Amino acid sequence: MFDLLCRGKFLSVDTTELELKHLYDDVEENFADYETFFSELGISLIAGDGYFYFARANDSRITIESKLNSFAQWVDILDFLKTYDITFSPGFQFRSTHILERINLDVELRDKARKLFRKQSTHRDVVDKLMSELTGMGFAEVINEQDGTYKVTAAFRYAEELVELITIYNEEDTPEV
């Protein structure tokens, strides 16, 4: 569990990997014990709605700027995915080839794809990088390798909830200081 979560990956209730499902069930059943153990190591075990992850309370190695850059990247990823399909959320199934097809057909999606991972030179590279990011975090997992079908996991709620924290004020809505 430590190896998985310390790399920034999430542990989801709806994983299809049997070993991870057993691990999730064990953490859920013994959450207080795990939470106490990891807190003594300076790591917070956080329980979300159907997922667990690690957070470091005071990690001086991570600057505010890098946190904001990471946050901005996930805002862009979420915007891209919701433009691809508004119902993109936990339980949603998709194929990377369908995303690629939509990029080629939809001008708005194509523009968002160009901005998503600027170092990627082709749409295929963008989609591959996106799949790598989603699976690397545990936000999606492959459920059929033959046809490249993925399933969005419960951990994706973390990204959705993070973006929902953004409040945008109009001039007339700006709170008085």
Side-chain angles (χ1 to χ4, degrees):
M1 178 179 89
F2 180 79
D3 288 340
L4 176 82
L5 297 179
C6 75
R7 289 181 281 141
K9 195 163 181 169
F10 288 69
L11 187 58
S12 293
V13 66
D14 55 354
T15 183
T16 57
E17 295 180 40
L18 194 55
E19 183 178 331
L20 294 179
K21 178 64 176 151
H22 290 306
L23 186 56
Y24 179 90
D25 292 342
D26 186 48
V27 172
E28 184 176 51
E29 192 173 307
N30 302 295
F31 181 76
D33 294 335
Y34 280 109
E35 184 180 38
T36 301
F37 176 78
F38 287 116
S39 71
E40 292 174 8
L41 300 174
I43 300 170
S44 297
L45 177 62
I46 309 295
D49 184 11
Y51 59 89
F52 296 105
Y53 67 98
F54 280 159
R56 291 185 188 270
N58 296 319
D59 193 344
S60 60
R61 298 173 295 170
I62 301 174
T63 65
I64 295 292
E65 183 179 353
S66 66
K67 286 181 182 180
L68 288 173
N69 287 337
S70 179
F71 179 76
Q73 178 67 34
W74 279 104
V75 169
D76 290 344
I77 289 172
L78 194 64
D79 180 45
F80 175 85
L81 294 171
K82 293 293 186 171
T83 301
Y84 163 69
D85 191 314
I86 193 70
T87 64
F88 197 100
S89 59
F92 183 80
Q93 293 184 13
F94 65 98
R95 292 187 181 133
S96 60
T97 55
H98 290 168
I99 294 176
L100 187 58
E101 290 170 8
R102 283 284 308 282
I103 289 172
N104 291 324
L105 297 173
D106 185 324
V107 173
E108 181 182 13
L109 205 58
R110 190 174 325 136
D111 289 342
K112 291 178 186 290
R114 281 188 197 114
K115 295 173 187 169
L116 200 55
F117 302 108
R118 296 186 188 273
K119 292 181 181 179
Q120 308 307 318
S121 58
T122 67
H123 294 144
R124 165 53 63 201
D125 292 341
V126 169
V127 171
D128 289 346
K129 176 74 173 165
L130 178 62
M131 295 304 101
S132 175
E133 291 289 322
L134 290 172
T135 58
M137 292 292 293
F139 291 161
E141 61 185 29
V142 177
I143 58 172
N144 185 331
E145 291 199 26
Q146 275 119 353
D147 67 4
T149 301
Y150 292 80
K151 179 184 86 171
V152 180
T153 66
F156 189 74
R157 285 188 194 110
Y158 174 83
E160 292 176 317
E161 292 166 357
L162 195 63
V163 171
E164 286 175 9
L165 293 174
I166 300 172
T167 304
I168 300 173
Y169 293 101
N170 292 326
E171 276 186 39
E172 55 271 356
D173 295 337
T174 305
E176 305 243 346
V177 181

